[in-house]
Amino acid sequence: MAAPNPLELPDKSQPPRWVLRSPPWLRVLLVAAIYLASWYALDVVALQFESAPEIQIWYPPSALDVVLLLVFGLRWWPLLLLNTFLHQWLVTGRHLPLHALLIFNLVTTLGYAGACNLLLSKLRINPRLRQLRDVIWFTVIAGLGTPLVIAVLQVVNFASAGLISWEHWQIFTLHYWAGDSTGIGMLAPFLLILLRQVPWVWACRDSSWRWARGGDDELRWPSRLGWPVLLFHIVLLALGIWAAYGAPRGKNLDYSYFVFLPMIWIVTQYGFARATATVLGINIGIALLVGFKTGVADTLALQFGLMAVTHSGILLGALVTDRQRTAEKLRLLYKKLRILNRGLEVQVQQRTAQLQEKMQQLHHLSQVKDDFLSTVSHELRSPIANMTMAIRMLQLGANQQSRDRYLQILQDECARETVLINDLLDLQRLESGVDTVSLQPLELLDWLPRILEPFDERARDRQQTLSIEFADNLPVLICDRAKLERIVSELLTNACKYTPPEGKIAVALRARTSAGFMDGVVLTVSNTGIEIPEAQLTRIFEKFYRIPSSDYWMQGGTGLGLALVQKLVEQLGGEIRVESRSMETAFTVELPAGCCEDFE
């Protein structure tokens, strides 16, 4: 189990209950007390590294002024008026002239308050320093520009009061600037990152804080496996500090740049958060190593070296974090792009399959059209040819017997032509939905034998056997009589056409039951002598489709009969299916007792 992280404060956007219950004046006093106590402690620490009056290697109390205003808001600027008096009367005990002290106080207060106002109100940075832009503006305004302006004004103030000589004003300006600039750079970013963990103390809202807590740009104790790496980094920094400022050297040798090497390596690996801790450690380590051994001249060189290390490390860390975030965004975009590509590939495959299916359908429709044209043209041309031949023979003046035969041919071919045209028209009406249903009660036991009688004679003429089997308990069917007659006639005509001599045709009619009640009838028409291939069973109800090589007896036909039957059965609210095996084919029609969905 991982050890608790003392740097990770409770993940709450609302203050604790004791804060909400405390009166506002008590909260103000608490913030002021923490700020002044921290400022006093840092001022005492900085004084230990003082090489001359008011000249320190770095001056971190200035970082608290910036952090106070950036975190708690600009309305806290009056607290900055107290720290100068705290420094003069409680820490150093140096009593400056009152006018010089007041001017010094106003310069520092207005300087840092103005810098924070510029960052928050004009440049609108996020004071939590989450973006490279925020870090750059913070470094330029709060870390470099403002300390320089304050240093110049302080030197002018002290020189005018006679506290320092005008002859060395430039050196003093550089000392003050480097000390404050390094103090702000080494501590303020570190504190701002730590205070991200306490979102309720910030004056400005940050909608991205919950997302940021889950990222790598935070300060936290390492995991159990990360401790060896952290210790290795500490040792590496210690060696770099010793090599830069503690190792023996000649008069013309300077190894101060050695401190950059471990810092750059750590910062490029971990980014901005670790950079702030690294910069703080370098500054503390160097101060402890050389703070009591430097003179004024060495202090100035040391100050600018620390300022360079501090701000370059902070900016490099922000740049690395920005690059890491950009790389992560690119990785996520690439992942999304791959997902989109896979989706597009699937869509392309689906569209290709759909197009292939459409092409097959178009090919099928084209074939159906060709079959239609071939069949219709043949079925239309054949009767016309026969009628033309009969008319020509009549014109040649044949005898009475021949004339009667030719007139019969004309009559038969006209009827054949009429049947074809009527089938086409009936099918078109059924498909367009304009055909109507005329419902009436139908006693099947009385009605069906009259329909089957002509087919019984036709079967005997063809030396076929027609058997009829009716159940006794048939319900009264509410149906369209003409359409049902057409269905029975088409099925029996088809059976007679494809049944060879000595073959059998069977018609069976029984009741359909459901939950113990008769709710319809089942009509079965079967014949022997031919078997439909299984691959063709799904196509026999298509218009103009005829099974290849199935018309052994040259019966002819348009391929419209079964298509009409299917449409008529569906219009009556029923269904039709076909089975073919063992040289026998059976068509089964199921019709509901109402025969129509809207019948009541």
Side-chain angles (χ1 to χ4, degrees):
M1 184 174 179
N5 188 345
L7 295 183
E8 290 188 355
L9 300 181
D11 183 12
K12 297 180 180 180
S13 59
Q14 297 297 328
R17 291 184 179 179
W18 66 267
V19 175
L20 294 174
R21 292 175 180 176
S22 61
W25 61 268
L26 182 59
R27 281 177 270 175
V28 172
L29 289 179
L30 181 61
V31 172
I34 293 175
Y35 164 72
L36 292 175
S38 302
W39 203 97
Y40 173 82
L42 288 177
D43 195 21
V44 171
V45 171
L47 188 63
Q48 303 304 313
F49 301 97
E50 189 177 54
S51 59
E54 304 301 331
I55 296 177
Q56 292 90 7
I57 294 176
W58 33 242
Y59 195 66
S62 301
L64 292 181
D65 299 340
V66 175
V67 171
L68 175 71
L69 299 180
L70 291 181
V71 174
F72 293 95
L74 297 174
R75 68 181 183 275
W76 292 88
W77 70 267
L79 275 180
L80 273 60
L81 295 171
L82 302 177
N83 55 41
T84 300
F85 301 100
L86 194 70
H87 172 76
Q88 293 296 321
W89 293 338
L90 298 181
V91 179
T92 64
R94 299 169 189 148
H95 298 287
L96 298 177
L98 183 58
H99 68 278
L101 183 61
L102 292 177
I103 293 174
F104 177 82
N105 197 352
L106 289 175
V107 167
T108 55
T109 299
L110 296 178
Y112 291 124
C116 293
N117 180 64
L118 177 62
L119 291 172
L120 295 175
S121 302
K122 302 300 181 182
L123 299 176
R124 297 185 181 277
I125 72 164
N126 186 338
R128 297 162 183 82
L129 305 183
R130 297 203 186 278
Q131 303 295 330
L132 177 61
R133 170 187 177 274
D134 303 331
V135 178
I136 290 176
W137 280 120
F138 174 84
T139 302
V140 171
I141 302 299
L144 295 173
T146 302
L148 178 59
V149 173
I150 292 176
V152 172
L153 295 177
Q154 284 175 348
V155 169
V156 171
N157 177 34
F158 291 158
S160 301
L163 300 176
I164 60 174
S165 64
W166 285 101
E167 182 180 356
H168 300 99
W169 72 271
Q170 296 165 323
I171 299 298
F172 282 102
T173 299
L174 295 177
H175 276 303
Y176 295 153
W177 177 37
D180 281 356
S181 177
T182 304
I184 292 173
M186 65 180 277
L187 187 58
F190 180 81
L191 293 178
L192 291 173
I193 290 181
L194 278 183
L195 289 173
R196 290 178 185 176
Q197 308 296 332
V198 195
W200 53 269
V201 303
W202 293 79
C204 61
R205 298 182 62 84
D206 182 17
S207 59
S208 63
W209 75 272
R210 292 183 183 276
W211 169 84
R213 283 181 62 86
D216 295 330
D217 190 27
E218 299 293 336
L219 285 170
R220 54 174 59 88
W221 291 118
S223 62
R224 183 178 303 174
L225 297 178
W227 274 106
V229 178
L230 178 60
L231 294 177
F232 173 71
H233 290 165
I234 294 174
V235 172
L236 196 64
L237 284 174
L239 290 175
I241 293 171
W242 178 83
Y245 294 97
R249 65 198 69 197
K251 294 182 179 180
N252 298 322
L253 294 177
D254 185 5
Y255 303 123
S256 60
Y257 56 85
F258 277 1
V259 77
F260 280 93
L261 299 180
M263 182 193 72
I264 291 174
W265 185 70
I266 295 172
V267 168
T268 52
Q269 274 192 313
Y270 296 99
F272 180 63
R274 189 67 66 89
T276 62
T278 303
V279 165
L280 180 61
I282 289 175
N283 278 275
I284 294 175
I286 292 175
L288 292 174
L289 183 63
V290 301
F292 298 102
K293 301 177 182 179
T294 57
V296 175
D298 292 332
T299 302
L300 183 60
L302 178 62
Q303 282 181 313
F304 273 87
L306 289 177
M307 188 169 68
V309 170
T310 298
H311 294 301
S312 62
I314 294 297
L315 290 174
L316 179 61
L319 180 62
V320 169
T321 296
D322 186 72
R323 293 290 298 273
Q324 290 173 347
R325 288 174 177 171
T326 302
E328 180 66 15
K329 290 178 181 178
L330 290 176
R331 188 186 67 81
L332 293 176
L333 288 175
Y334 177 70
K335 184 178 180 180
K336 291 180 180 179
L337 183 61
R338 289 184 60 186
I339 294 175
L340 290 175
N341 285 337
R342 287 197 294 267
L344 289 175
E345 290 176 359
V346 172
Q347 289 184 1
V348 169
Q349 293 175 356
Q350 292 176 348
R351 296 295 174 85
T352 303
Q354 292 175 358
L355 288 175
Q356 291 177 347
E357 184 179 357
K358 295 294 183 183
M359 290 179 63
Q360 292 176 356
Q361 291 177 357
L362 290 175
H363 178 72
H364 173 64
L365 291 175
S366 177
Q367 185 176 358
V368 170
K369 181 200 68 175
D370 293 340
D371 294 343
F372 167 74
L373 293 176
S374 175
T375 301
V376 171
S377 61
H378 176 270
E379 294 297 329
L380 290 174
R381 185 170 59 248
S382 295
I384 292 176
N386 292 336
M387 287 188 290
T388 302
M389 181 272 295
I391 292 173
R392 182 172 298 178
M393 296 303 296
L394 288 173
Q395 289 175 344
L396 293 177
N399 56 33
Q400 184 63 36
Q401 185 178 359
S402 298
R403 283 198 299 271
D404 292 341
R405 184 163 61 87
Y406 293 140
L407 287 173
Q408 186 63 42
I409 290 174
L410 285 173
Q411 185 177 0
D412 292 342
E413 296 302 328
C414 286
R416 179 181 171 187
E417 201 83 357
T418 301
V419 169
L420 174 60
I421 293 173
N422 287 337
D423 287 347
L424 289 172
L425 292 176
D426 291 342
L427 191 60
Q428 190 275 334
R429 283 197 302 271
L430 288 170
E431 290 182 339
S432 62
V434 299
D435 197 24
T436 59
V437 177
S438 177
L439 300 178
Q440 53 184 314
L442 190 60
E443 291 284 352
L444 293 176
L445 292 177
D446 296 334
W447 173 79
L448 194 55
R450 296 197 299 269
I451 303 301
L452 298 179
E453 185 176 348
F455 293 97
D456 187 28
E457 296 178 1
R458 181 176 178 179
R460 286 197 300 269
D461 292 341
R462 291 171 171 259
Q463 299 179 359
Q464 300 165 341
T465 302
L466 175 63
S467 61
I468 302 173
E469 181 182 354
F470 292 165
D472 296 332
N473 57 340
L474 293 177
V476 176
L477 196 65
I478 307 299
C479 187
D480 189 310
R481 183 179 304 224
K483 288 179 170 51
L484 182 58
E485 181 178 350
R486 184 74 176 272
I487 292 171
V488 175
S489 299
E490 290 289 348
L491 291 177
L492 283 171
T493 299
N494 209 50
C496 292
K497 184 187 297 186
Y498 294 106
T499 301
E502 308 300 331
K504 296 180 179 180
I505 302 172
V507 178
L509 187 64
R510 59 181 176 84
R512 187 182 70 177
T513 59
S514 177
F517 296 94
M518 292 185 293
D519 63 347
V521 296
V522 180
L523 172 68
T524 302
V525 178
S526 60
N527 66 291
T528 61
I530 189 171
E531 183 177 339
I532 302 175
E534 185 176 358
Q536 307 294 330
L537 288 177
T538 58
R539 300 196 59 189
I540 61 174
F541 294 106
E542 296 179 7
K543 293 183 295 186
F544 307 111
Y545 181 77
R546 300 180 66 205
I547 302 173
S549 304
S550 65
D551 195 356
Y552 302 109
W553 300 281
M554 304 300 292
Q555 297 295 329
T558 61
L560 291 176
L562 291 178
L564 275 170
V565 169
Q566 186 184 46
K567 294 295 182 182
L568 290 170
V569 170
E570 291 175 353
Q571 191 180 34
L572 294 178
E575 61 176 340
I576 183 172
R577 58 181 181 271
V578 59
E579 296 178 355
S580 184
R581 58 179 178 271
S582 302
M583 299 304 292
E584 182 175 354
T585 300
F587 288 88
T588 302
V589 177
E590 292 190 19
L591 296 174
C595 273
C596 188
E597 293 181 358
D598 57 357
F599 177 78
E600 296 182 359

